[in-house]
Amino acid sequence: MHSIYDWFSRHRFAVDVVLMSVLWLMAMPLSISDGGYMRTPGQMLVAGLFATALLVPLAWRRTRTVMAGFLIAGVAIAQWALGISPMVSNIAVPLIVYALAAFGPRWASLCGLGLAMLGSIMLVTRYFYDLTMVSLADLPYTIVLILMVWVLVLFSWTAGDLTRTKRLREQALSDRAHRLEIEAQHERDLAASDERAHIAREMHDIVAHSLSVIITQADGARYAAAANPEIAPETLATIAATGRSSLQEMRRLLGVLRGGDEASTRPLPGLADLDELLLGIRATGLPVEFTVTGTARRQLPPGAELSAYRMVQEGLTNVIKHAGPNVQSTVHLVWNARGLDITVHDDGRGATAALSTNPVPQLPTRSPSISPESRNDVVPHAGGQSTKTLHPRTGPLRTVSGAAAAGGNGLRGMSERVKLYDGHLSAGPLPGGGFGISAFIPYTEQ
């Protein structure tokens, strides 16, 4: 039945043509015969023409409702003006009133109702009550006839208006369902895009860090093994430990993606795992100074701690990859009233301007004239906010503005992670050499 209803809805004009044809075949003989009274051939021809003119426009009652209403109204008025007696085909009038109320615009519906009510009075006074020849005693009978015709017209209009209301309600529900389907699809696309970005960040942080450590250890062992063969076992042990740790991280990530019961339940790394991370970094031969200032007012969300961990990991990985030999790096965490400040610096050969963001933290040399009060100067960070950022050895960080440039995948991933928690990130080369990364993560999302 649903498919049949859909077919009728898609082929409205064809259905209306068939219904009009059936009605024409049924009404035409009765309209010509005029209730069984004898007529002349001319009268029968005129009656047939008017019957056809009244019924044929019903084929467009749903596709071109206003046009059909004008045609039927014009034929009915011409019939009244020429004095042609009412016939069965005049049933087209209440039918078009219904169609105007159901499928036409509101103005056409009301105009059709008013014209049909007026036509009822014209019909009764023309054919059933002559004001010049009938006495006043027949007036109540005439009023009853008018009321009966009005009831028929009002019934047709009311039924059409109810059909219109039901159709508009169904259309509104269909539009709402379609809109919800589109919104759901957009939400799925956004969720999939966000998940892809999250997976890309995790894969980059895991693979880039582990491969950088492994490559650095392998290159160092290759050059040092010729002079001191005992270094090779230690280097291989570091490479194996790094590989196993990265493989475990990859298995955990893939297990989460598969969604199986065998997925690892190992918690995500956080600030408590920084010591283990720094041990692995120091094993590569990179000196790392790690300091923490202040205490946390409340615990960061697990995702924010993961972002802080990945930022330190990515910053030190970049030091291993880009800073060159004989480098020292510094990791400093500052807990303040609003959240956590993270800085990662090195004194190597720095990086190209293509890896910088805007603004860029600058690391000045320490001046003997710096007073303890000046170490708490407020300096601007990215996003137009201000916070107290201290370098562990040389005093406050200063920021300068530079041309914004697109960073690498690591910096872009760090920036995305920090922005998820309403934080901000700045990174760039330091004056005199080296590279610095500074980020702020608030306690809670805003």
Side-chain angles (χ1 to χ4, degrees), residues 359-429:
V360 179
Q362 301 296 314
L363 180 60
T365 58
R366 187 172 186 179
S367 173
S369 61
I370 296 178
S371 62
E373 292 80 4
S374 65
R375 295 175 61 86
N376 292 328
D377 291 341
V378 177
V379 294
H381 276 254
Q385 300 177 355
S386 298
T387 184
K388 298 177 182 179
T389 307
L390 300 179
H391 187 267
R393 295 182 300 169
T394 59
L397 294 176
R398 292 183 291 108
T399 60
V400 298
S401 297
N409 291 329
L411 292 179
R412 183 162 55 250
M414 283 191 290
S415 178
E416 292 174 353
R417 287 180 182 276
V418 172
K419 286 181 179 178
L420 288 176
Y421 295 91
D422 295 329
H424 47 78
L425 173 77
S426 58

Side-chain angles (χ1 to χ4, degrees), residues 17-279:
V17 169
V18 173
L19 293 178
M20 182 274 299
S21 301
V22 173
L23 182 61
W24 184 85
L25 292 174
M26 294 174 60
M28 179 59 67
L30 298 177
S31 299
I32 295 176
S33 64
D34 190 21
Y37 295 101
M38 296 298 297
R39 278 186 171 183
T40 64
Q43 291 175 339
M44 295 176 64
L45 177 61
V46 172
L49 291 176
F50 271 90
T52 303
L54 285 170
L55 296 176
V56 168
L58 292 176
W60 291 274
R61 67 185 184 91
R62 288 190 293 178
T63 55
R64 296 180 180 270
T65 309
V66 177
M67 182 196 72
F70 274 115
L71 292 177
I72 294 177
V75 173
I77 293 174
Q79 179 185 2
W80 177 85
L82 295 176
I84 300 174
S85 61
M87 59 188 72
V88 177
S89 298
N90 286 114
I91 193 65
V93 174
L95 291 178
I96 199 62
V97 170
Y98 169 87
L100 286 171
F103 309 107
R106 177 59 64 180
W107 66 267
S109 172
L110 296 177
C111 289
L113 174 63
L115 188 60
M117 300 286 282
L118 179 60
S120 301
I121 300 176
M122 297 169 61
L123 171 69
V124 174
T125 56
R126 176 65 182 261
Y127 298 103
F128 301 99
Y129 183 80
D130 191 348
L131 296 176
T132 61
M133 298 180 63
V134 181
S135 64
L136 294 177
D138 295 331
L139 184 60
Y141 172 74
T142 305
I143 295 176
V144 171
L145 288 179
I146 293 175
L147 292 177
M148 291 177 60
V149 178
W150 277 3
V151 168
L152 176 62
V153 172
L154 288 174
F155 177 80
S156 301
W157 185 88
T158 303
D161 195 67
L162 291 176
T163 302
R164 174 194 183 90
T165 303
K166 179 181 178 182
R167 177 174 57 85
L168 293 178
R169 187 191 305 113
E170 292 178 353
Q171 183 178 358
L173 292 176
S174 177
D175 293 342
R176 183 174 181 271
H178 182 65
R179 185 172 62 254
L180 291 177
E181 183 179 356
I182 294 177
E183 292 176 356
Q185 183 62 39
H186 287 172
E187 291 178 358
R188 288 193 294 268
D189 293 341
L190 290 175
S193 177
D194 182 71
E195 189 63 24
R196 286 194 296 268
H198 174 71
I199 295 172
R201 290 193 298 265
E202 289 291 329
M203 294 287 290
H204 176 271
D205 292 339
I206 295 172
V207 175
H209 170 71
S210 59
L211 290 182
S212 298
V213 173
I214 290 173
I215 292 172
T216 301
Q217 290 291 301
D219 288 341
R222 183 162 55 90
Y223 290 112
N228 187 3
E230 296 178 357
I231 297 179
E234 298 179 0
T235 305
L236 292 176
T238 302
I239 292 175
T242 303
R244 280 192 294 269
S245 176
S246 300
L247 182 60
Q248 186 178 10
E249 290 288 329
M250 290 292 294
R251 285 176 176 173
R252 180 188 60 80
L253 181 60
L254 294 177
V256 172
L257 292 178
R258 293 191 183 100
D261 296 336
E262 68 278 4
S264 174
T265 58
R266 180 177 181 267
L268 295 173
L271 296 177
D273 300 298
L274 285 178
D275 291 336
E276 182 180 354
L277 173 66
L278 296 177
L279 287 177

Side-chain angles (χ1 to χ4, degrees), residues 298-316:
R298 64 177 67 94
Q299 187 177 2
L300 288 175
E305 288 202 7
L306 174 63
S307 299
Y309 177 91
R310 294 301 188 195
M311 185 190 143
V312 174
Q313 183 185 52
E314 178 64 22
L316 295 177

